[in-house]
Amino acid sequence: MSDWTAYYAATAGGGPRDTLLHGLSLWQGAPGAAVDLGCGTGRDTLELLERGWEVLATDAEAEALVELRQRVPAALGCRLHTRHARFETLVLDRYDLVNASFSLPFCAPAHFPTLWAQITAATRQGGLLCGQLLGTRDSWANRGVTVVDAAELAELLRGWEVLHHREEEEDGHTAVGKPKHWHIHHLVLRRQ
Ligand SMILES: C[S@@+](CC[C@H](N)C(=O)[O-])C[C@H]1O[C@@H](n2cnc3c(N)ncnc32)[C@H](O)[C@@H]1O
């Protein structure tokens, strides 16, 4: 059991994230190499595998990777690679698609600039980044997660073409039903 066990149970039936589906709809080449950062139990990894991608799935929780392995059909397993690693120590290769659904905010704020620079360097020219960042009005902003203000986001987007940016702000709930104010930047970016 980890802090994420209840989240994994609550989201077990979830399909791929809209940001990934949006990115895939814009991808014109053959399926390539992808990394799914903070993959959880693999809702997006599974979609990538089903569409023929080679996927490195990474997460800080071993439990998530075990569940992911269990849900991937044997025929797709040969294109799945998993790595049990935290963002703060992760080493990346080069990818056509970097997916990071609701995961990057959990990188320690002091390390986030390094992680973003690594992601930028790891994404091939023309490659995609799909995922979310949290804004400063998110109610987790004072709980040690990484949030970005408008100027910081603009700086992060240098070197990327913005294919999709939807800013969402609302009172809602977490996946496990706790009240929360959400301030989310949903992003699909193309490396220039
Ligand atoms: C909100 S979940 C998102 C999981 C999945 N991508 C999804 O869309 O449902 C965040 C994931 O990030 C992982 N995570 C949290 N902190 C992390 C860190 N410092 N390094 C790597 N992964 C981390 C958690 O274990 C969890 O699986």
Side-chain angles (χ1 to χ4, degrees):
M1 293 268 288
S2 74
D3 288 351
W4 289 100
T5 303
Y7 172 88
Y8 299 144
T11 59
R17 300 286 186 183
D18 287 347
T19 38
L20 175 64
L21 292 178
H22 192 145
L24 288 172
S25 75
L26 298 172
W27 182 256
Q28 294 188 329
V35 61
D36 190 5
L37 300 173
C39 60
T41 55
R43 57 197 299 170
D44 290 339
T45 293
L46 200 52
E47 181 72 14
L48 285 160
L49 291 169
E50 282 170 353
R51 291 185 186 221
W53 290 72
E54 186 94 21
V55 186
L56 172 64
T58 81
D59 203 281
E61 297 297 338
E63 163 193 356
L65 300 175
V66 169
E67 272 192 53
L68 165 61
R69 282 267 171 212
Q70 284 168 353
R71 71 189 291 204
V72 169
L76 305 182
C78 58
R79 281 187 282 102
L80 172 64
H81 313 274
T82 55
R83 191 174 298 164
H84 179 206
R86 299 187 61 81
F87 295 137
E88 294 80 357
T89 53
L90 190 62
V91 176
L92 293 174
D93 197 345
R94 300 264 287 165
Y95 307 92
D96 301 296
L97 189 151
V98 177
N99 188 64
S101 292
F102 290 93
S103 58
L104 297 181
F106 299 102
C107 177
H111 187 79
F112 182 74
T114 304
L115 176 64
W116 188 266
Q118 259 190 298
I119 289 172
T120 301
T123 310
R124 294 196 175 106
Q125 191 177 21
L128 300 180
L129 170 57
C130 310
Q132 285 75 23
L133 293 172
L134 293 182
T136 50
R137 293 185 296 281
D138 195 278
S139 57
W140 286 345
N142 57 4
R143 287 180 38 178
V145 305
T146 293
V147 297
V148 293
D149 64 22
E152 288 164 337
L153 181 59
E155 187 59 29
L156 294 176
L157 296 181
R158 283 161 60 110
W160 296 92
E161 179 188 356
V162 179
L163 303 176
H164 171 78
H165 176 197
R166 183 168 68 87
E167 187 170 358
E168 180 182 8
E169 185 165 358
E170 63 172 18
D171 290 322
H173 293 85
T174 67
V176 295
K178 294 190 179 154
K180 179 178 182 323
H181 184 77
W182 289 102
H183 182 193
I184 311 171
H185 296 281
H186 300 273
L187 297 166
V188 180
L189 310 176
R190 182 185 283 137
R191 186 84 172 90
Q192 291 175 327

